[in-house]
PDB file of all heavy atoms in Angstrom:
ATOM      1  N   THR A   1      41.889  67.544 107.105  1.00  0.00           N
ATOM      2  CA  THR A   1      42.006  66.586 105.994  1.00  0.00           C
ATOM      3  C   THR A   1      41.390  65.236 106.340  1.00  0.00           C
ATOM      4  O   THR A   1      41.479  64.287 105.548  1.00  0.00           O
ATOM      5  CB  THR A   1      43.478  66.368 105.593  1.00  0.00           C
ATOM      6  OG1 THR A   1      44.152  65.621 106.611  1.00  0.00           O
ATOM      7  CG2 THR A   1      44.186  67.698 105.362  1.00  0.00           C
ATOM      8  N   PHE A   2      40.775  65.113 107.512  1.00  0.00           N
ATOM      9  CA  PHE A   2      40.104  63.876 107.928  1.00  0.00           C
ATOM     10  C   PHE A   2      41.035  62.666 107.866  1.00  0.00           C
ATOM     11  O   PHE A   2      40.594  61.546 107.604  1.00  0.00           O
ATOM     12  CB  PHE A   2      38.866  63.613 107.067  1.00  0.00           C
ATOM     13  CG  PHE A   2      37.809  64.671 107.162  1.00  0.00           C
ATOM     14  CD1 PHE A   2      37.752  65.691 106.217  1.00  0.00           C
ATOM     15  CD2 PHE A   2      36.881  64.678 108.183  1.00  0.00           C
ATOM     16  CE1 PHE A   2      36.786  66.687 106.291  1.00  0.00           C
ATOM     17  CE2 PHE A   2      35.906  65.665 108.271  1.00  0.00           C
ATOM     18  CZ  PHE A   2      35.867  66.674 107.327  1.00  0.00           C
ATOM     19  N   GLY A   3      42.331  62.887 108.077  1.00  0.00           N
ATOM     20  CA  GLY A   3      43.295  61.795 108.090  1.00  0.00           C
ATOM     21  C   GLY A   3      43.828  61.388 106.726  1.00  0.00           C
ATOM     22  O   GLY A   3      44.765  60.589 106.640  1.00  0.00           O
ATOM     23  N   TYR A   4      43.257  61.934 105.661  1.00  0.00           N
ATOM     24  CA  TYR A   4      43.674  61.522 104.317  1.00  0.00           C
ATOM     25  C   TYR A   4      45.123  61.923 104.035  1.00  0.00           C
ATOM     26  O   TYR A   4      45.845  61.205 103.335  1.00  0.00           O
ATOM     27  CB  TYR A   4      42.729  62.105 103.267  1.00  0.00           C
ATOM     28  CG  TYR A   4      41.408  61.379 103.211  1.00  0.00           C
ATOM     29  CD1 TYR A   4      40.413  61.618 104.159  1.00  0.00           C
ATOM     30  CD2 TYR A   4      41.142  60.422 102.234  1.00  0.00           C
ATOM     31  CE1 TYR A   4      39.210  60.945 104.132  1.00  0.00           C
ATOM     32  CE2 TYR A   4      39.941  59.741 102.185  1.00  0.00           C
ATOM     33  CZ  TYR A   4      38.980  60.000 103.144  1.00  0.00           C
ATOM     34  OH  TYR A   4      37.796  59.312 103.119  1.00  0.00           O
ATOM     35  N   SER A   5      45.563  63.037 104.568  1.00  0.00           N
ATOM     36  CA  SER A   5      46.938  63.487 104.344  1.00  0.00           C
ATOM     37  C   SER A   5      47.963  62.603 105.046  1.00  0.00           C
ATOM     38  O   SER A   5      49.156  62.674 104.760  1.00  0.00           O
ATOM     39  CB  SER A   5      47.107  64.936 104.816  1.00  0.00           C
ATOM     40  OG  SER A   5      46.904  65.030 106.220  1.00  0.00           O
ATOM     41  N   LYS A   6      47.485  61.745 105.960  1.00  0.00           N
ATOM     42  CA  LYS A   6      48.367  60.849 106.701  1.00  0.00           C
ATOM     43  C   LYS A   6      48.192  59.389 106.278  1.00  0.00           C
ATOM     44  O   LYS A   6      48.817  58.497 106.852  1.00  0.00           O
ATOM     45  CB  LYS A   6      48.092  60.967 108.207  1.00  0.00           C
ATOM     46  CG  LYS A   6      48.227  62.384 108.757  1.00  0.00           C
ATOM     47  CD  LYS A   6      47.765  62.436 110.202  1.00  0.00           C
ATOM     48  CE  LYS A   6      47.775  63.871 110.732  1.00  0.00           C
ATOM     49  NZ  LYS A   6      47.213  63.951 112.113  1.00  0.00           N
ATOM     50  N   GLY A   7      47.320  59.158 105.316  1.00  0.00           N
ATOM     51  CA  GLY A   7      47.041  57.786 104.919  1.00  0.00           C
ATOM     52  C   GLY A   7      46.185  57.043 105.918  1.00  0.00           C
ATOM     53  O   GLY A   7      46.199  55.809 105.962  1.00  0.00           O
ATOM     54  N   GLN A   8      45.438  57.807 106.745  1.00  0.00           N
ATOM     55  CA  GLN A   8      44.549  57.232 107.747  1.00  0.00           C
ATOM     56  C   GLN A   8      43.142  57.816 107.573  1.00  0.00           C
ATOM     57  O   GLN A   8      42.677  58.613 108.381  1.00  0.00           O
ATOM     58  CB  GLN A   8      45.074  57.531 109.150  1.00  0.00           C
ATOM     59  CG  GLN A   8      46.462  56.974 109.421  1.00  0.00           C
ATOM     60  CD  GLN A   8      46.959  57.330 110.804  1.00  0.00           C
ATOM     61  OE1 GLN A   8      46.609  58.365 111.371  1.00  0.00           O
ATOM     62  NE2 GLN A   8      47.804  56.484 111.370  1.00  0.00           N
ATOM     63  N   PRO A   9      42.445  57.429 106.507  1.00  0.00           N
ATOM     64  CA  PRO A   9      41.187  58.094 106.139  1.00  0.00           C
ATOM     65  C   PRO A   9      40.023  57.822 107.082  1.00  0.00           C
ATOM     66  O   PRO A   9      39.906  56.740 107.657  1.00  0.00           O
ATOM     67  CB  PRO A   9      40.886  57.523 104.749  1.00  0.00           C
ATOM     68  CG  PRO A   9      41.521  56.169 104.777  1.00  0.00           C
ATOM     69  CD  PRO A   9      42.792  56.346 105.580  1.00  0.00           C
ATOM     70  N   CYS A  10      39.184  58.834 107.221  1.00  0.00           N
ATOM     71  CA  CYS A  10      37.909  58.689 107.926  1.00  0.00           C
ATOM     72  C   CYS A  10      36.804  58.454 106.903  1.00  0.00           C
ATOM     73  O   CYS A  10      36.770  59.093 105.846  1.00  0.00           O
ATOM     74  CB  CYS A  10      37.586  59.955 108.714  1.00  0.00           C
ATOM     75  SG  CYS A  10      38.613  60.210 110.178  1.00  0.00           S
ATOM     76  N   ILE A  11      35.903  57.567 107.230  1.00  0.00           N
ATOM     77  CA  ILE A  11      34.729  57.305 106.410  1.00  0.00           C
ATOM     78  C   ILE A  11      33.523  57.319 107.333  1.00  0.00           C
ATOM     79  O   ILE A  11      33.553  56.772 108.440  1.00  0.00           O
ATOM     80  CB  ILE A  11      34.846  55.953 105.679  1.00  0.00           C
ATOM     81  CG1 ILE A  11      36.021  55.999 104.697  1.00  0.00           C
ATOM     82  CG2 ILE A  11      33.549  55.626 104.939  1.00  0.00           C
ATOM     83  CD1 ILE A  11      36.281  54.686 104.000  1.00  0.00           C
ATOM     84  N   LEU A  12      32.447  57.974 106.888  1.00  0.00           N
ATOM     85  CA  LEU A  12      31.239  58.105 107.697  1.00  0.00           C
ATOM     86  C   LEU A  12      30.188  57.101 107.248  1.00  0.00           C
ATOM     87  O   LEU A  12      29.987  56.891 106.046  1.00  0.00           O
ATOM     88  CB  LEU A  12      30.678  59.523 107.575  1.00  0.00           C
ATOM     89  CG  LEU A  12      31.648  60.662 107.890  1.00  0.00           C
ATOM     90  CD1 LEU A  12      30.976  62.014 107.651  1.00  0.00           C
ATOM     91  CD2 LEU A  12      32.158  60.561 109.318  1.00  0.00           C
ATOM     92  N   LEU A  13      29.520  56.509 108.211  1.00  0.00           N
ATOM     93  CA  LEU A  13      28.452  55.550 107.932  1.00  0.00           C
ATOM     94  C   LEU A  13      27.125  56.137 108.385  1.00  0.00           C
ATOM     95  O   LEU A  13      27.014  56.639 109.511  1.00  0.00           O
ATOM     96  CB  LEU A  13      28.720  54.240 108.679  1.00  0.00           C
ATOM     97  CG  LEU A  13      27.812  53.059 108.313  1.00  0.00           C
ATOM     98  CD1 LEU A  13      28.210  52.502 106.953  1.00  0.00           C
ATOM     99  CD2 LEU A  13      27.918  51.955 109.362  1.00  0.00           C
ATOM    100  N   LYS A  14      26.139  56.074 107.498  1.00  0.00           N
ATOM    101  CA  LYS A  14      24.815  56.633 107.783  1.00  0.00           C
ATOM    102  C   LYS A  14      23.758  55.563 107.554  1.00  0.00           C
ATOM    103  O   LYS A  14      23.745  54.895 106.526  1.00  0.00           O
ATOM    104  CB  LYS A  14      24.542  57.839 106.873  1.00  0.00           C
ATOM    105  CG  LYS A  14      23.219  58.550 107.132  1.00  0.00           C
ATOM    106  CD  LYS A  14      23.117  59.816 106.302  1.00  0.00           C
ATOM    107  CE  LYS A  14      22.824  59.539 104.859  1.00  0.00           C
ATOM    108  NZ  LYS A  14      21.411  59.106 104.638  1.00  0.00           N
ATOM    109  N   MET A  15      22.884  55.411 108.533  1.00  0.00           N
ATOM    110  CA  MET A  15      21.773  54.474 108.408  1.00  0.00           C
ATOM    111  C   MET A  15      20.626  55.141 107.651  1.00  0.00           C
ATOM    112  O   MET A  15      20.300  56.298 107.910  1.00  0.00           O
ATOM    113  CB  MET A  15      21.308  54.050 109.816  1.00  0.00           C
ATOM    114  CG  MET A  15      20.461  52.799 109.858  1.00  0.00           C
ATOM    115  SD  MET A  15      19.803  52.463 111.536  1.00  0.00           S
ATOM    116  CE  MET A  15      21.298  52.367 112.515  1.00  0.00           C
ATOM    117  N   ASN A  16      20.024  54.426 106.707  1.00  0.00           N
ATOM    118  CA  ASN A  16      18.915  54.994 105.944  1.00  0.00           C
ATOM    119  C   ASN A  16      17.715  55.288 106.853  1.00  0.00           C
ATOM    120  O   ASN A  16      17.460  54.561 107.811  1.00  0.00           O
ATOM    121  CB  ASN A  16      18.488  54.038 104.828  1.00  0.00           C
ATOM    122  CG  ASN A  16      19.540  53.895 103.747  1.00  0.00           C
ATOM    123  OD1 ASN A  16      20.495  54.673 103.699  1.00  0.00           O
ATOM    124  ND2 ASN A  16      19.392  52.902 102.888  1.00  0.00           N
ATOM    125  N   ARG A  17      17.000  56.345 106.521  1.00  0.00           N
ATOM    126  CA  ARG A  17      15.857  56.749 107.336  1.00  0.00           C
ATOM    127  C   ARG A  17      14.641  55.888 107.028  1.00  0.00           C
ATOM    128  O   ARG A  17      14.305  55.657 105.867  1.00  0.00           O
ATOM    129  CB  ARG A  17      15.506  58.209 107.063  1.00  0.00           C
ATOM    130  CG  ARG A  17      16.611  59.190 107.408  1.00  0.00           C
ATOM    131  CD  ARG A  17      16.191  60.604 107.060  1.00  0.00           C
ATOM    132  NE  ARG A  17      17.248  61.569 107.347  1.00  0.00           N
ATOM    133  CZ  ARG A  17      17.124  62.882 107.173  1.00  0.00           C
ATOM    134  NH1 ARG A  17      15.991  63.387 106.713  1.00  0.00           N
ATOM    135  NH2 ARG A  17      18.137  63.691 107.453  1.00  0.00           N
ATOM    136  N   ILE A  18      13.984  55.434 108.092  1.00  0.00           N
ATOM    137  CA  ILE A  18      12.725  54.695 107.955  1.00  0.00           C
ATOM    138  C   ILE A  18      11.745  55.273 108.958  1.00  0.00           C
ATOM    139  O   ILE A  18      12.014  55.282 110.165  1.00  0.00           O
ATOM    140  CB  ILE A  18      12.925  53.188 108.231  1.00  0.00           C
ATOM    141  CG1 ILE A  18      13.956  52.587 107.263  1.00  0.00           C
ATOM    142  CG2 ILE A  18      11.598  52.446 108.122  1.00  0.00           C
ATOM    143  CD1 ILE A  18      14.314  51.143 107.571  1.00  0.00           C
ATOM    144  N   ILE A  19      10.624  55.788 108.483  1.00  0.00           N
ATOM    145  CA  ILE A  19       9.646  56.432 109.357  1.00  0.00           C
ATOM    146  C   ILE A  19       9.140  55.457 110.424  1.00  0.00           C
ATOM    147  O   ILE A  19       8.703  54.344 110.115  1.00  0.00           O
ATOM    148  CB  ILE A  19       8.466  56.982 108.533  1.00  0.00           C
ATOM    149  CG1 ILE A  19       8.945  58.110 107.616  1.00  0.00           C
ATOM    150  CG2 ILE A  19       7.357  57.498 109.448  1.00  0.00           C
ATOM    151  CD1 ILE A  19       7.852  58.660 106.705  1.00  0.00           C
ATOM    152  N   GLY A  20       9.259  55.888 111.667  1.00  0.00           N
ATOM    153  CA  GLY A  20       8.738  55.095 112.777  1.00  0.00           C
ATOM    154  C   GLY A  20       9.623  53.977 113.267  1.00  0.00           C
ATOM    155  O   GLY A  20       9.315  53.330 114.271  1.00  0.00           O
ATOM    156  N   TYR A  21      10.731  53.741 112.589  1.00  0.00           N
ATOM    157  CA  TYR A  21      11.579  52.606 112.950  1.00  0.00           C
ATOM    158  C   TYR A  21      12.378  52.885 114.225  1.00  0.00           C
ATOM    159  O   TYR A  21      12.918  53.973 114.409  1.00  0.00           O
ATOM    160  CB  TYR A  21      12.533  52.311 111.798  1.00  0.00           C
ATOM    161  CG  TYR A  21      13.400  51.083 111.995  1.00  0.00           C
ATOM    162  CD1 TYR A  21      12.831  49.824 112.136  1.00  0.00           C
ATOM    163  CD2 TYR A  21      14.788  51.182 112.008  1.00  0.00           C
ATOM    164  CE1 TYR A  21      13.620  48.693 112.309  1.00  0.00           C
ATOM    165  CE2 TYR A  21      15.585  50.059 112.177  1.00  0.00           C
ATOM    166  CZ  TYR A  21      14.990  48.820 112.322  1.00  0.00           C
ATOM    167  OH  TYR A  21      15.781  47.709 112.487  1.00  0.00           O
ATOM    168  N   ARG A  22      12.434  51.890 115.103  1.00  0.00           N
ATOM    169  CA  ARG A  22      13.204  51.991 116.340  1.00  0.00           C
ATOM    170  C   ARG A  22      14.274  50.900 116.330  1.00  0.00           C
ATOM    171  O   ARG A  22      14.044  49.782 116.773  1.00  0.00           O
ATOM    172  CB  ARG A  22      12.297  51.837 117.560  1.00  0.00           C
ATOM    173  CG  ARG A  22      11.148  52.845 117.590  1.00  0.00           C
ATOM    174  CD  ARG A  22      10.296  52.652 118.825  1.00  0.00           C
ATOM    175  NE  ARG A  22       9.058  53.420 118.751  1.00  0.00           N
ATOM    176  CZ  ARG A  22       8.125  53.459 119.697  1.00  0.00           C
ATOM    177  NH1 ARG A  22       8.322  52.755 120.815  1.00  0.00           N
ATOM    178  NH2 ARG A  22       7.027  54.171 119.548  1.00  0.00           N
ATOM    179  N   PRO A  23      15.454  51.218 115.815  1.00  0.00           N
ATOM    180  CA  PRO A  23      16.481  50.194 115.652  1.00  0.00           C
ATOM    181  C   PRO A  23      16.990  49.645 116.979  1.00  0.00           C
ATOM    182  O   PRO A  23      17.052  50.333 117.981  1.00  0.00           O
ATOM    183  CB  PRO A  23      17.600  50.947 114.907  1.00  0.00           C
ATOM    184  CG  PRO A  23      17.381  52.379 115.251  1.00  0.00           C
ATOM    185  CD  PRO A  23      15.907  52.537 115.391  1.00  0.00           C
ATOM    186  N   GLY A  24      17.314  48.362 116.949  1.00  0.00           N
ATOM    187  CA  GLY A  24      17.951  47.744 118.102  1.00  0.00           C
ATOM    188  C   GLY A  24      17.028  47.269 119.200  1.00  0.00           C
ATOM    189  O   GLY A  24      17.493  46.678 120.175  1.00  0.00           O
ATOM    190  N   ALA A  25      15.727  47.532 119.076  1.00  0.00           N
ATOM    191  CA  ALA A  25      14.765  47.090 120.097  1.00  0.00           C
ATOM    192  C   ALA A  25      15.204  47.494 121.497  1.00  0.00           C
ATOM    193  O   ALA A  25      15.201  46.698 122.433  1.00  0.00           O
ATOM    194  CB  ALA A  25      14.552  45.580 120.011  1.00  0.00           C
ATOM    195  N   GLY A  26      15.611  48.764 121.644  1.00  0.00           N
ATOM    196  CA  GLY A  26      15.971  49.279 122.956  1.00  0.00           C
ATOM    197  C   GLY A  26      17.452  49.243 123.285  1.00  0.00           C
ATOM    198  O   GLY A  26      17.873  49.757 124.316  1.00  0.00           O
ATOM    199  N   VAL A  27      18.245  48.633 122.419  1.00  0.00           N
ATOM    200  CA  VAL A  27      19.698  48.574 122.607  1.00  0.00           C
ATOM    201  C   VAL A  27      20.356  49.217 121.384  1.00  0.00           C
ATOM    202  O   VAL A  27      20.032  48.850 120.250  1.00  0.00           O
ATOM    203  CB  VAL A  27      20.197  47.119 122.765  1.00  0.00           C
ATOM    204  CG1 VAL A  27      21.708  47.090 122.936  1.00  0.00           C
ATOM    205  CG2 VAL A  27      19.507  46.461 123.948  1.00  0.00           C
ATOM    206  N   PRO A  28      21.262  50.174 121.581  1.00  0.00           N
ATOM    207  CA  PRO A  28      21.856  50.870 120.440  1.00  0.00           C
ATOM    208  C   PRO A  28      22.512  49.915 119.437  1.00  0.00           C
ATOM    209  O   PRO A  28      23.179  48.947 119.822  1.00  0.00           O
ATOM    210  CB  PRO A  28      22.911  51.775 121.091  1.00  0.00           C
ATOM    211  CG  PRO A  28      22.414  51.993 122.484  1.00  0.00           C
ATOM    212  CD  PRO A  28      21.749  50.712 122.871  1.00  0.00           C
ATOM    213  N   VAL A  29      22.301  50.199 118.163  1.00  0.00           N
ATOM    214  CA  VAL A  29      22.934  49.435 117.089  1.00  0.00           C
ATOM    215  C   VAL A  29      24.401  49.870 116.972  1.00  0.00           C
ATOM    216  O   VAL A  29      24.714  51.058 117.022  1.00  0.00           O
ATOM    217  CB  VAL A  29      22.199  49.670 115.752  1.00  0.00           C
ATOM    218  CG1 VAL A  29      22.964  49.058 114.593  1.00  0.00           C
ATOM    219  CG2 VAL A  29      20.783  49.098 115.823  1.00  0.00           C
ATOM    220  N   SER A  30      25.284  48.894 116.825  1.00  0.00           N
ATOM    221  CA  SER A  30      26.721  49.182 116.741  1.00  0.00           C
ATOM    222  C   SER A  30      27.254  48.863 115.351  1.00  0.00           C
ATOM    223  O   SER A  30      26.578  48.230 114.528  1.00  0.00           O
ATOM    224  CB  SER A  30      27.489  48.381 117.794  1.00  0.00           C
ATOM    225  OG  SER A  30      27.347  46.997 117.561  1.00  0.00           O
ATOM    226  N   VAL A  31      28.483  49.284 115.114  1.00  0.00           N
ATOM    227  CA  VAL A  31      29.132  49.083 113.816  1.00  0.00           C
ATOM    228  C   VAL A  31      30.457  48.364 114.021  1.00  0.00           C
ATOM    229  O   VAL A  31      31.188  48.645 114.979  1.00  0.00           O
ATOM    230  CB  VAL A  31      29.388  50.438 113.121  1.00  0.00           C
ATOM    231  CG1 VAL A  31      30.119  50.234 111.791  1.00  0.00           C
ATOM    232  CG2 VAL A  31      28.078  51.185 112.901  1.00  0.00           C
ATOM    233  N   ASP A  32      30.751  47.427 113.140  1.00  0.00           N
ATOM    234  CA  ASP A  32      32.099  46.861 113.117  1.00  0.00           C
ATOM    235  C   ASP A  32      32.561  46.721 111.668  1.00  0.00           C
ATOM    236  O   ASP A  32      31.754  46.723 110.743  1.00  0.00           O
ATOM    237  CB  ASP A  32      32.186  45.529 113.868  1.00  0.00           C
ATOM    238  CG  ASP A  32      31.425  44.396 113.192  1.00  0.00           C
ATOM    239  OD1 ASP A  32      31.176  44.472 111.968  1.00  0.00           O
ATOM    240  OD2 ASP A  32      31.072  43.420 113.870  1.00  0.00           O
ATOM    241  N   CYS A  33      33.877  46.655 111.483  1.00  0.00           N
ATOM    242  CA  CYS A  33      34.458  46.551 110.150  1.00  0.00           C
ATOM    243  C   CYS A  33      35.493  45.437 110.124  1.00  0.00           C
ATOM    244  O   CYS A  33      36.195  45.201 111.118  1.00  0.00           O
ATOM    245  CB  CYS A  33      35.130  47.869 109.748  1.00  0.00           C
ATOM    246  SG  CYS A  33      34.009  49.280 109.622  1.00  0.00           S
ATOM    247  N   LYS A  34      35.604  44.778 108.978  1.00  0.00           N
ATOM    248  CA  LYS A  34      36.586  43.712 108.803  1.00  0.00           C
ATOM    249  C   LYS A  34      36.940  43.605 107.327  1.00  0.00           C
ATOM    250  O   LYS A  34      36.263  44.174 106.456  1.00  0.00           O
ATOM    251  CB  LYS A  34      36.023  42.381 109.309  1.00  0.00           C
ATOM    252  CG  LYS A  34      34.791  41.903 108.549  1.00  0.00           C
ATOM    253  CD  LYS A  34      34.239  40.609 109.134  1.00  0.00           C
ATOM    254  CE  LYS A  34      33.003  40.146 108.362  1.00  0.00           C
ATOM    255  NZ  LYS A  34      32.447  38.883 108.935  1.00  0.00           N
ATOM    256  N   VAL A  35      38.016  42.892 107.045  1.00  0.00           N
ATOM    257  CA  VAL A  35      38.379  42.622 105.659  1.00  0.00           C
ATOM    258  C   VAL A  35      37.325  41.701 105.060  1.00  0.00           C
ATOM    259  O   VAL A  35      37.025  40.633 105.618  1.00  0.00           O
ATOM    260  CB  VAL A  35      39.777  41.974 105.580  1.00  0.00           C
ATOM    261  CG1 VAL A  35      40.079  41.550 104.150  1.00  0.00           C
ATOM    262  CG2 VAL A  35      40.834  42.949 106.069  1.00  0.00           C
ATOM    263  N   GLN A  36      36.754  42.125 103.946  1.00  0.00           N
ATOM    264  CA  GLN A  36      35.649  41.364 103.367  1.00  0.00           C
ATOM    265  C   GLN A  36      36.128  40.064 102.723  1.00  0.00           C
ATOM    266  O   GLN A  36      35.465  39.040 102.791  1.00  0.00           O
ATOM    267  CB  GLN A  36      34.920  42.237 102.324  1.00  0.00           C
ATOM    268  CG  GLN A  36      33.596  41.671 101.858  1.00  0.00           C
ATOM    269  CD  GLN A  36      33.686  41.024 100.488  1.00  0.00           C
ATOM    270  OE1 GLN A  36      34.597  41.310  99.720  1.00  0.00           O
ATOM    271  NE2 GLN A  36      32.741  40.144 100.182  1.00  0.00           N
ATOM    272  N   LYS A  37      37.296  40.122 102.115  1.00  0.00           N
ATOM    273  CA  LYS A  37      37.862  38.924 101.503  1.00  0.00           C
ATOM    274  C   LYS A  37      39.387  39.083 101.459  1.00  0.00           C
ATOM    275  O   LYS A  37      39.891  40.120 101.018  1.00  0.00           O
ATOM    276  CB  LYS A  37      37.320  38.727 100.092  1.00  0.00           C
ATOM    277  CG  LYS A  37      37.795  37.461  99.386  1.00  0.00           C
ATOM    278  CD  LYS A  37      37.270  37.382  97.968  1.00  0.00           C
ATOM    279  CE  LYS A  37      35.751  37.221  97.941  1.00  0.00           C
ATOM    280  NZ  LYS A  37      35.253  37.028  96.546  1.00  0.00           N
ATOM    281  N   GLY A  38      40.089  38.082 101.942  1.00  0.00           N
ATOM    282  CA  GLY A  38      41.547  38.157 101.924  1.00  0.00           C
ATOM    283  C   GLY A  38      42.136  38.090 103.323  1.00  0.00           C
ATOM    284  O   GLY A  38      41.492  37.645 104.281  1.00  0.00           O
ATOM    285  N   ASN A  39      43.354  38.566 103.449  1.00  0.00           N
ATOM    286  CA  ASN A  39      44.104  38.497 104.696  1.00  0.00           C
ATOM    287  C   ASN A  39      43.574  39.522 105.707  1.00  0.00           C
ATOM    288  O   ASN A  39      43.576  40.719 105.447  1.00  0.00           O
ATOM    289  CB  ASN A  39      45.591  38.761 104.416  1.00  0.00           C
ATOM    290  CG  ASN A  39      46.475  38.396 105.595  1.00  0.00           C
ATOM    291  OD1 ASN A  39      46.060  38.472 106.749  1.00  0.00           O
ATOM    292  ND2 ASN A  39      47.704  38.007 105.311  1.00  0.00           N
ATOM    293  N   GLU A  40      43.119  39.051 106.854  1.00  0.00           N
ATOM    294  CA  GLU A  40      42.547  39.936 107.863  1.00  0.00           C
ATOM    295  C   GLU A  40      43.564  40.955 108.382  1.00  0.00           C
ATOM    296  O   GLU A  40      43.193  42.038 108.851  1.00  0.00           O
ATOM    297  CB  GLU A  40      41.986  39.120 109.032  1.00  0.00           C
ATOM    298  CG  GLU A  40      40.764  38.290 108.662  1.00  0.00           C
ATOM    299  CD  GLU A  40      40.207  37.542 109.854  1.00  0.00           C
ATOM    300  OE1 GLU A  40      40.714  37.750 110.979  1.00  0.00           O
ATOM    301  OE2 GLU A  40      39.252  36.761 109.664  1.00  0.00           O
ATOM    302  N   SER A  41      44.857  40.625 108.302  1.00  0.00           N
ATOM    303  CA  SER A  41      45.890  41.538 108.802  1.00  0.00           C
ATOM    304  C   SER A  41      46.072  42.770 107.917  1.00  0.00           C
ATOM    305  O   SER A  41      46.809  43.685 108.278  1.00  0.00           O
ATOM    306  CB  SER A  41      47.227  40.804 108.931  1.00  0.00           C
ATOM    307  OG  SER A  41      47.716  40.406 107.662  1.00  0.00           O
ATOM    308  N   ASN A  42      45.399  42.807 106.765  1.00  0.00           N
ATOM    309  CA  ASN A  42      45.473  43.993 105.908  1.00  0.00           C
ATOM    310  C   ASN A  42      44.756  45.191 106.537  1.00  0.00           C
ATOM    311  O   ASN A  42      44.982  46.328 106.152  1.00  0.00           O
ATOM    312  CB  ASN A  42      44.870  43.710 104.535  1.00  0.00           C
ATOM    313  CG  ASN A  42      45.705  42.730 103.725  1.00  0.00           C
ATOM    314  OD1 ASN A  42      46.889  42.546 104.000  1.00  0.00           O
ATOM    315  ND2 ASN A  42      45.086  42.084 102.744  1.00  0.00           N
ATOM    316  N   LEU A  43      43.877  44.891 107.479  1.00  0.00           N
ATOM    317  CA  LEU A  43      43.194  45.943 108.244  1.00  0.00           C
ATOM    318  C   LEU A  43      43.531  45.716 109.715  1.00  0.00           C
ATOM    319  O   LEU A  43      42.946  44.877 110.384  1.00  0.00           O
ATOM    320  CB  LEU A  43      41.684  45.890 108.017  1.00  0.00           C
ATOM    321  CG  LEU A  43      40.825  46.873 108.815  1.00  0.00           C
ATOM    322  CD1 LEU A  43      41.184  48.308 108.476  1.00  0.00           C
ATOM    323  CD2 LEU A  43      39.343  46.621 108.551  1.00  0.00           C
TER     324      LEU A  43
END
């Protein structure tokens, strides 16, 4: 159930494909998440 049955959902992030692109200039690109607007403690 990917955590949905527990109220802990999984969401997948996919980077759009660009021919020839080498993201990060030799250093892997990372992901972070935060509350976009409002109380940061909600996440």
Side-chain angles (χ1 to χ4, degrees):
T1 71
F2 298 96
Y4 284 78
S5 64
K6 304 173 185 175
Q8 300 178 330
C10 288
I11 296 176
L12 306 177
L13 189 74
K14 183 173 75 73
M15 197 186 303
N16 292 348
R17 298 178 181 182
I18 301 174
I19 294 177
Y21 185 62
R22 304 181 191 181
V27 179
V29 171
S30 63
V31 178
D32 68 22
C33 297
K34 63 183 180 180
V35 173
Q36 192 257 339
K37 183 183 294 185
N39 193 330
E40 292 182 5
S41 66
N42 292 340
L43 176 62

